Amino acid sequence: MSKKYVYLFNEGNSEMRELLGGKGANLAEMTNIGLPVPPGLTITTEACNEYYVQNEQLPAGLEEELKKNLKVVEQTIGKKLGDRENPLLVSVRSGAKISMPGMMDTILNLGLNDDTVEGMAAATENRRFAMDCYRRFIQMFGDVAMGVNADLFENALAKLREAEGVQHDHQLSAEALEGLIETYKAIYKEGTGDEFPQEPEKQLLLAVMAVFRSWNSDRAIYYRKANKIPDSLGTAVNVQCMVFGNMGNDCGTGVAFTRNPSTGEKGLFGEYLINAQGEDVVAGIRTPQPIASLEQDMPDVYAQFLNIASTLEKHYHDMQDMEFTVERGKLFMLQTRNGKRTAAAAVRAAVEMVEEGLIDKEEALMRLDPLQINQLLHPAIDPKAKITAVAEGLPASPGAACGKCVFDADTAEEMGKKGEKVVLIRTETTPEDIHGMVQAQGILTSHGGMTSHAAVLARGMGVPCVCGAEALKIDAEAKQAVIAGETLKENDIVSIDGATGRIFLGEVPMTSAAMDENFEKYLGWADDVRVLGVRANADNPTDAQKARDFGAQGIGLTRTEHMFMEVDRLPAVQEMIMADTVDGRKAALEKLLPMQKGDFYGILKVMAGFPVTIRFLDPPLHEFLPNKEDLLVEITTLKCTGGDPEEIAEKEELMKKVEALSEFNPMLGHRGCRLGITYPEIYEMQARAVFGACADLAKEGVEAIPEVEIPLVAHINEFHRLRAIVDQVAEEVMADQNVKFNYTVGTMVEVPRAALTTDELAVEADFFSFGTNDLTQTTFGFSRDDAEGKFLHSYVEQKVLPISPFVSLDEKGVGKLMNIAIEGARDVKPDFLIGICGEHGGDPDSIDLCHRLGLDFVSCSPYRVPIARLAAAQAAINEKRK
Amino acid sequence: MSKKYVYLFNEGNSEMRELLGGKGANLAEMTNIGLPVPPGLTITTEACNEYYVQNEQLPAGLEEELKKNLKVVEQTIGKKLGDRENPLLVSVRSGAKISMPGMMDTILNLGLNDDTVEGMAAATENRRFAMDCYRRFIQMFGDVAMGVNADLFENALAKLREAEGVQHDHQLSAEALEGLIETYKAIYKEGTGDEFPQEPEKQLLLAVMAVFRSWNSDRAIYYRKANKIPDSLGTAVNVQCMVFGNMGNDCGTGVAFTRNPSTGEKGLFGEYLINAQGEDVVAGIRTPQPIASLEQDMPDVYAQFLNIASTLEKHYHDMQDMEFTVERGKLFMLQTRNGKRTAAAAVRAAVEMVEEGLIDKEEALMRLDPLQINQLLHPAIDPKAKITAVAEGLPASPGAACGKCVFDADTAEEMGKKGEKVVLIRTETTPEDIHGMVQAQGILTSHGGMTSHAAVLARGMGVPCVCGAEALKIDAEAKQAVIAGETLKENDIVSIDGATGRIFLGEVPMTSAAMDENFEKYLGWADDVRVLGVRANADNPTDAQKARDFGAQGIGLTRTEHMFMEVDRLPAVQEMIMADTVDGRKAALEKLLPMQKGDFYGILKVMAGFPVTIRFLDPPLHEFLPNKEDLLVEITTLKCTGGDPEEIAEKEELMKKVEALSEFNPMLGHRGCRLGITYPEIYEMQARAVFGACADLAKEGVEAIPEVEIPLVAHINEFHRLRAIVDQVAEEVMADQNVKFNYTVGTMVEVPRAALTTDELAVEADFFSFGTNDLTQTTFGFSRDDAEGKFLHSYVEQKVLPISPFVSLDEKGVGKLMNIAIEGARDVKPDFLIGICGEHGGDPDSIDLCHRLGLDFVSCSPYRVPIARLAAAQAAINEKRK
């Protein structure tokens, strides 16, 4: 009750992001370091949360407190809200702890009414300008604060233009606008049932509540979910004296970065518009000027701005993203924040800031979201390809993309979810398009600049994007676009290069991603800091090589079943399965042996000197046979239509085997080491293949470090028996080939019982690796195949679970089990080698947990290796900082 | 090496069962308390184990030690092995720590050869007897010790009878037997390649090894597995001076119990044969005399035996099963052991022994294997039924049985495994028949007495058995039998009453089991001792009443899905599933509501004053729809044969739903509380049904104690949401009906994550109950449906697992998880109520674990309640004794 809900800008600082939101905290900070910030105040996020606790009522006392503080602002600026002579106008903006660009509502020019508009006309000596501000305010207030249909205002405006015979809004006269204001007020009354409020204080309270409500708008909720932002943060509200960039040609507004957000290159980077309001730049309606031109247009302002930019970067020790407005030649800073940047920019800026002495290496390592590295690994258009672009736009988000044209977000989402590659083409994007943007391979717009909605979002998501390609004429209704005389229809193929802005018809040759010098240096620092080892999962020499190129320190998982699935091997695998005797199976396995040996030889050779974990056959055998239901339909059809009896008999024979192998719950069925126990000849063949390869390599002088891994062990007796087979084969091969090689034998820990009994397993095993996908399935009792389609989505939606446990490790449950497993093993052997393989191994949050649990390594797909290297470093730094 | 492998009888005692086997230890004990035991020695079980460790070689030093000790025996009895004048003959018998009746080999008359047989003839003045002993010895030694085909000996004997023109063996002359001995020696040489050994010491060593080998015979292994006897025990070998019950009419042999092993009634109970060897009684070839007749036949011996029996019972504090032989009027005790008995006998004997002051109550409670109680719960033939038996045999094992006639063990096993009820009909049973006996509802033999193989085994297994029904003429070859002029063919129905020995054609009316006064008293003592509560699982009022009758202290699990499956409800359930909207589902649920309410009303009323755990809907919805594959065949057939398009469309519509609901791993799929989260209206209906019933009962003044149980919870958020629904409905019903009632809400702990997070769950839940079937499935990663058919059998066979974890709780894995769960919950609420429901709740070993873990109750099927009450008492006593 005695809580302070309102802070003047000079009462806050940049540490108070939680309470004042990012924008409010930074406005306070800028105010306090003496930068030209229009005065104002911030209503806290706590007030927002309290608003929701009290069923959308403003907390008691807030109104009083707001009034009191507003008085101080009025005194500072020498204007008064509602004062006809010298009216104060304010902007009302949202500002959460974590920036949600364009996600929330803003109301400008608040304070105007029938009275003050006249005062403003007099003060500015520009009646038309005052009227225009007023009509904009009614429109924005009606739409944003009161939910009046925005189209009604737009239609009235269009009608007026028509009636007046003008093309553009700025051609409308003050008188025409006065008429429009009356029309708008009528629309407002029609839409809300109330007169448009003439009392500025009432306007303000309504606007504050509108901002609070916008925290729970669909698009804000969607954005938070997509970005893992907690709902509990709430938004602050910033109430700030208006300054005008649209009062003439000595006015303007712009945004700029202290470094290039695409490349990281040092130097002012941004855009501005003369005689415009801030929203015009962000919305991408007019294409703005590069910031460098400001030096010609307003040399003093430019010099001052350069100076402020440098001050801010040094003050915040990070690249800044700033908004400014020039009102009649005077510069005002409206916002600063740490700038969003591409991964490449983040890496370069971080490396250079270390070299400039602005930050240290650990700080540099914390500057990049590991998942952003994905961007660096994006393909690019092959520079050697002889291809010609049909048009060019702005290079808004790097990476090349190729896909089917789609012209609306819904279709993009639908096709994308089906796994189709699409490029979303829009005049400009709005927050309503996000669900389609996340599913697209690339984004292409005809309007808007490097800081437009599409550009900002695409960079954040790592999706290639070309903006402002004005040569592109889009007819979204007809689902087509014309470019350089060619018509692009839905499903036509288009390619874009987000690094250069070029647009191509059809598919073009691409090269895979490469890492540059800065990146190598940066990851080198990560390697120095991290404690966790990073390995990759690879089933063949090509992937193994890629893993090495990305810096993997070994292979943490080689799945041998992928090898069984290959076309030339499947017949032998099926022969083995159909055999009714051990001898029959052995004969078939004999055929597979040389091929398997070749597989292992190749991988072990690429990984010479690095360990390679080879997991023995894991999936149930029926996965190698035809689908039961298909077969059932075939047989029934053959029977009904009098098919060849021999064919029927043959299929029925196959059906018998399929049925014998079919399972109610294959995930918990006859697979993994259970196959090894019932068909020891399979694992024996695999052991022979591994050690045969080792023997050959030993003779060549290549150091192979195989780690044989027995999957799905639940009981020490399983491991005991199968290890005995492996050891015996190793001994035989060494004796036969008269050669020595090293190997170890370990197990997956992927069912809870294994985790609970590592004190027994570790006595006989040399290592284990968590199979957290299966461990998550069995710990939760979730079949991933079923859960994701049936209920997991709605669990996350309804917040029963904060995130799918298949994406980030569940610390409380699965993590607890892992901890039991680790303690059990290390009690027996303090240096027992423990890793994790599978998708969690490439997820930064899961990597952080793995670090805290004391694992030796994570293993992930080769492309995730750089991500894991950085995430592991951040985990180490996080721990140190705690 | 310096181990003592051989013990003279006077060196041992009854505590040395581990080392000397049960028989050897008891022979030693009897010797030491001064009973007339023929002198002898015991070779230890360690020697047997060493024999296997050394690849079937006798351990070093054993031969020497045996020789030395034999000398002592020779001196004691004044005879010498191989001495022509006064030859010592010995028996060689197996004897393991745990009795395995008829499972292992015995060799009698060892020491006879061409020389000593003459000495024996002279000493006994009975040449024919000596020759008969010799030919029996060659036959037994050849068959048992050396593996010569027994039929060859039998055929030669039959040929001789024919040649001599006699019907019975005892009619053969000494000369004829002398000829037979030569024939037997030839058969022996033919079969073994060696001459029949004439050196008694060589005979002895071969016989000892034969006993050792018999430990690993197929039937011994099978018996051990069926009775959970560890393979590691090994068998001892008893070498004992022969006494002869077959030297004339002043000789005899018999077996007797100190109490009736069927009823427990105090008093000598047994049988004997005049002029016979011990094996004749056990094998059931001649039908023996009741022990009481011995008083007339040999009054002195009878008096002495009565005295010894009483001494032994007092000495051992338990009912004894004794073997004796009378040689020329002198009584020798050959064996004593605690007698096997029916459950009824065990209970009566235990109760009476307490009353006699022989044992205390706790000891009495330890005297019964809880699983034996099954027998008491067997049905009996309705005493009021007006039916006539076609014949009568001996009442060998109580309980009535009815089933199809089968005449061989293989067929009995095959049909029994398919779930068919069979009665196994044999002339007499042998150890080779066990696999069929265990699958039969009842056993019927035409030969053998109350202590025959069939009778002993059947009592042990709790299978009703009628023995020695001589009116029954069996032709096993032709698979039929004639009884009272009627021919019984395979698959004809027969009924037997093991309590009276009566045999009936066809099916007869039966009554269910009842518990008598002794049993009530006995279980009352168990209730005084036990700490664990015992509840039952029941889904309807009838079962609930049965549970109360058996002493259940509540219902631990009411499965609501069984109610959904009932014929009158399934249409409404299917309507609910097929509905595409919440309203559609609610309309269908509205129909189910009154029925569910009726179910709960009935159960809660029966259980007035006792808690009833009601688990909300658990199985996946597709279980209520037709099978997918059947539907697929139907549709394909309809299509191929030009079926009615409307019918096809209808089935395809159904198929769509079936497909939408079908799952890869239904066990880990969309079921349990996941249904409650996605379709809250289902649980809401169920809550309304429960509380509607409570409201009605409250108005009637009946105390209902419902415990609402949310299944398959993995995360506190699931519980939180569903409890909120339950609480709200309860509040609504109380307000609507203006009545108060108590209820609690808890959860199943059946996935590892729930077990790992009880510290969170216990904050909001009132109780939990382990669903150890699912918990075992998820902890091991075993689908029970698949594992049992695919690999679990071979896991137990190959000893990868000691026993199926679905039969007895896995202490090391699942038990550890349970312990974590219990500690987690009790840290939050020290009195937190915890139970277990499902099959483990009725398994004595699992109950012991539950006691040690500190659970509040076990819940099992009503018929298992008495078993659980006793097992819980034994668990408490076991703990105290430790």
Side-chain angles (χ1 to χ4, degrees), chain B residues 405-591:
Chain B
C405 299
V406 294
F407 296 90
D408 64 290
D410 289 348
T411 309
E413 181 184 33
E414 191 183 310
M415 290 172 66
K417 279 192 172 167
K418 283 189 196 146
E420 292 189 66
K421 299 189 167 183
V422 299
V423 172
L424 177 62
I425 302 178
R426 301 285 286 159
T427 309
E428 52 194 307
T429 63
T430 69
E432 273 78 23
D433 290 325
I434 296 180
H435 63 292
M437 296 170 76
V438 300
Q439 294 291 341
Q441 297 295 306
I443 294 158
L444 172 58
T445 71
S446 56
H447 280 54
M450 292 292 286
T451 51
S452 66
H453 178 263
V456 171
L457 262 282
R459 280 198 296 272
M461 298 186 300
V463 177
C465 175
V466 172
C467 272
E470 306 209 353
L472 193 67
K473 303 297 166 202
I474 300 171
D475 183 348
E477 196 71 3
K479 298 196 170 194
Q480 63 177 45
V482 176
I483 188 167
E486 300 275 349
T487 302
L488 281 173
K489 293 213 163 78
E490 194 169 274
N491 288 324
D492 286 349
I493 304 287
V494 70
S495 300
I496 60 170
D497 181 355
T500 61
R502 290 174 304 163
I503 303 162
F504 304 88
L505 300 181
E507 216 174 325
V508 298
M510 296 196 190
T511 60
S512 32
M515 309 194 290
D516 71 4
E517 208 179 294
N518 281 321
F519 191 55
E520 295 284 2
K521 194 183 278 178
Y522 188 76
L523 285 184
W525 296 346
D527 293 344
D528 292 341
V529 169
R530 70 185 163 87
V531 180
L532 263 180
V534 175
R535 298 193 192 181
N537 304 339
D539 304 341
N540 55 58
T542 312
D543 284 356
Q545 185 58 55
K546 191 161 286 159
R548 282 294 303 128
D549 294 345
F550 280 131
Q553 299 158 290
I555 301 299
L557 178 63
T558 293
R559 295 176 200 86
T560 51
E561 56 269 23
H562 288 188
M563 304 163 181
F564 276 48
M565 283 289 187
E566 280 172 31
V567 184
D568 53 335
R569 300 164 188 204
L570 200 53
V573 173
Q574 291 183 342
E575 186 187 322
M576 190 251 316
I577 297 171
M578 296 295 290
D580 288 323
T581 63
V582 175
D583 286 344
R585 278 195 294 277
K586 282 192 173 167
L589 287 165
E590 206 55 46
K591 295 180 196 168

Side-chain angles (χ1 to χ4, degrees), chain A residues 531-533 770 818 822 826 834-836 849-858:
Chain A
V531 179
L532 263 179
F770 286 109
M818 290 171 74
I822 293 163
R826 299 249 168 96
I834 302 173
I836 177 179
L849 177 58
C850 290
H851 171 86
R852 284 182 280 124
L853 287 171
L855 263 62
D856 293 297
F857 67 86
V858 298

Side-chain angles (χ1 to χ4, degrees), chain A residues 401-425 435-444 463-464 490-496:
Chain A
C402 172
K404 294 180 175 172
C405 298
V406 294
F407 296 90
D408 63 290
D410 289 348
T411 308
E413 181 184 34
E414 190 184 310
M415 289 173 68
K417 279 194 171 165
K418 283 187 196 148
E420 290 188 68
K421 297 187 167 184
V422 300
V423 172
L424 177 62
I425 303 178
H435 63 293
M437 295 170 76
V438 299
Q439 294 291 341
Q441 296 295 306
I443 294 158
L444 173 57
V463 177
E490 192 169 273
N491 288 323
D492 286 351
I493 303 287
V494 70
S495 299
I496 60 171

Side-chain angles (χ1 to χ4, degrees), chain A residues 82 111-118 134 137 196-200 203:
Chain A
L112 282 173
N113 58 20
D114 295 351
D115 235 21
T116 55
V117 72
E118 298 297 345
Y134 192 22
F137 171 54
F196 178 76
Q198 290 291 327
E199 311 77 9
Q203 291 172 356

Side-chain angles (χ1 to χ4, degrees), chain A residues 628-629 632-633 636-637 640 660-670 673-674 677-678 714-715 717-718 721 751-753 756-757 759-760 778-783 785-786 790-791 794-795 798-801 810 812-813 816-817 820, chain B residues 628-629 632-633 636-637 640 660-670 673-674 677-678 714-715 717-718 721 751-753 756-757 759-760 778-783 785-786 790-791 794-795 798-801 810 812-813 816-817 820:
Chain A
K628 185 175 167 189
E629 283 162 25
L632 198 59
V633 170
T636 310
T637 307
C640 287
L661 292 177
S662 94
E663 297 182 305
F664 297 101
N665 298 291
M667 149 70 199
L668 306 178
H670 195 184
C673 70
R674 300 162 198 171
I677 297 278
T678 46
H715 196 286
N717 291 356
E718 293 170 318
R721 272 171 195 247
V751 298
R753 198 181 185 285
L756 292 162
T757 58
D759 53 340
E760 291 179 346
T778 45
T779 302
F780 274 84
F782 283 177
S783 159
D785 290 331
D786 298 310
K790 296 257 159 47
F791 59 86
S794 111
Y795 262 48
Q798 294 186 48
K799 300 195 197 111
V800 177
L801 293 177
D810 159 52
K812 177 83 197 166
K816 185 167 179 181
L817 204 48
I820 292 170
Chain B
K628 186 175 167 189
E629 282 163 25
L632 199 59
V633 170
T636 310
T637 307
C640 287
L661 292 176
S662 95
E663 296 182 305
F664 296 102
N665 299 291
M667 148 70 200
L668 305 178
H670 194 185
C673 70
R674 301 163 198 172
I677 298 279
T678 46
H715 197 288
N717 291 355
E718 294 170 318
R721 272 171 193 246
V751 298
R753 198 181 186 286
L756 292 161
T757 58
D759 53 340
E760 292 179 346
T778 45
T779 302
F780 274 84
F782 282 178
S783 158
D785 290 332
D786 299 310
K790 297 258 159 44
F791 60 85
S794 110
Y795 262 48
Q798 292 186 49
K799 302 199 194 104
V800 176
L801 293 177
D810 159 53
K812 177 81 197 165
K816 186 168 177 179
L817 204 48
I820 291 170

Side-chain angles (χ1 to χ4, degrees), chain A residues 1 110 125 148 158-159 182 598 641 721 783:
Chain A
M1 293 311 139
L110 189 141
E125 294 174 0
V148 178
K159 231 186 211 160
E182 290 315 307
T641 55
R721 272 171 195 247
S783 159

